Amino acid sequence: MARTQVPLPLTYRLLNHGPATLVSTRDGDRANVMAAQWVMPVDFDPPKLAVVLDRTTYTRKLIDASGVLAIQIPERAQAQLTQEVGSTSGAERDKLAAIETFPGDVLDVPLVAGCLAWLECRVAHSPALDEVARELDLFVVDVVAASADDRYWRGKGIALDTVQTIHHLGGGRYVLSGESVEARR
Amino acid sequence: MARTQVPLPLTYRLLNHGPATLVSTRDGDRANVMAAQWVMPVDFDPPKLAVVLDRTTYTRKLIDASGVLAIQIPERAQAQLTQEVGSTSGAERDKLAAIETFPGDVLDVPLVAGCLAWLECRVAHSPALDEVARELDLFVVDVVAASADDRYWRGKGIALDTVQTIHHLGGGRYVLSGESVEARR
């Protein structure tokens, strides 16, 4: 699989339409992956995302230690994988043992193969951001590198006529991305 | 059009899959509406949302004064309306003059007719949240009431087999919600 680097100011276009994501991280010899639907861009350039990382998860524990994470976008064929990594804990079993990964380009994070795009991120810090993270599990992260599967990146966005993203409705039910429409200016 | 009240702990199911929204507000005799794609749940019960409200918008100015807003979910037929209210300013023309609205159930906010669901919200405050809002235009809001068009609410979520949400990709291009799939537990 060949990847294209996505220019940082365009990375919001990977997530703008609200797809489910996989969040992976590594801290030393411990690594994990979970599902996260509550992820969205909050700034274009330099790109920032907001993401909810529940305090009860093992992934959150590792991110609190490492400060880095990858947010990647699964496609339709990975709905089952997404549901599975989202409903089991890395504290109980090594979820990545059975999942093919490859190394981040910039950060020491495992990227999940088969996704349509990958965003490597660092947790942003300030006294206010740290307090909001502590109180609400709501983190702001800086995107430091992004790439997409060559087959699905078309210069300015994901070619959603050739691949479908999955969007979690709740309870293991997902809606797929459908037809695209253009509004008149 | 008949509406159903949505129980507060289920309101995340209106927004979980990442649809575009319309944000409306009123401050005294000034009211406005704009489009917002960067909205997501951050807590289930009591329900909280995170929303980016750009400091350059007239809607933000009114919300800063009133502290209240409605977040509503347009359907496919409203893609053009969404694009229009998202690309013009209420400082220059009264966008609501040509749009049918009805009053909020709990808050003094105008709700846009024809949407599939409406969430009435209050801006949440703490020193840290206020600083994050000031620095990043990122607000946390408490949902205090929610309702949905009877035709589209099916007890635990939106009936996405009968109505389509719109998801902004960028530049006036939207992807519609498509088929639903269920992952095995």
Side-chain angles (χ1 to χ4, degrees), chain B residues 118-168:
Chain B
W118 301 265
L119 298 92
E120 298 175 44
C121 307
R122 257 190 247 279
V123 174
H125 289 289
S126 76
L129 288 175
D130 293 350
E131 184 168 335
V132 169
R134 213 160 39 232
E135 296 284 324
L136 294 177
D137 295 347
L138 176 62
F139 290 75
V140 172
V141 303
D142 294 306
V143 182
V144 298
S147 58
D149 184 318
D150 261 2
R151 294 171 297 173
Y152 306 134
W153 177 253
R154 204 165 285 162
K156 284 191 168 178
I158 305 168
L160 286 173
D161 51 342
T162 60
V163 67
Q164 289 168 298
T165 49
I166 66 174
H167 303 244
H168 194 219

Side-chain angles (χ1 to χ4, degrees), chain A residues 35-175:
Chain A
Q37 176 61 47
W38 293 354
V39 180
M40 69 175 182
V42 296
D43 213 344
F44 296 102
D45 186 18
K48 291 178 193 293
L49 312 175
V51 51
V52 175
L53 302 170
D54 191 286
R55 69 194 66 183
T56 64
T57 64
Y58 185 60
T59 299
R60 160 73 178 276
K61 184 177 169 173
L62 299 189
I63 293 171
D64 279 344
S66 70
V68 294
L69 60 156
I71 294 177
Q72 46 241 302
I73 304 172
E75 56 121 332
R76 179 187 190 151
Q78 292 169 307
Q80 189 61 38
L81 171 73
T82 303
Q83 183 62 20
E84 280 167 14
V85 301
S87 54
T88 54
S89 173
E92 284 151 25
R93 68 179 184 89
D94 180 2
K95 289 193 265 186
L96 287 171
I99 296 173
E100 188 191 345
T101 63
F102 59 96
D105 292 316
V106 171
L107 300 177
D108 182 19
V109 287
L111 306 183
V112 177
C115 288
L116 59 88
W118 302 265
L119 298 93
E120 298 176 44
C121 308
R122 259 191 245 278
V123 175
H125 289 288
S126 76
L129 288 175
D130 293 350
E131 185 169 334
V132 169
R134 213 160 41 230
E135 295 284 324
L136 295 177
D137 295 346
L138 176 62
F139 289 74
V140 171
V141 303
D142 295 305
V143 182
V144 298
S147 58
D149 184 318
D150 261 1
R151 295 171 296 172
Y152 305 135
W153 178 253
R154 203 165 285 162
K156 285 190 168 178
I158 306 167
L160 286 173
D161 51 342
T162 60
V163 67
Q164 289 168 298
T165 48
I166 65 174
H167 302 246
H168 194 218
L169 293 165
R173 195 162 179 80
Y174 295 81
V175 65

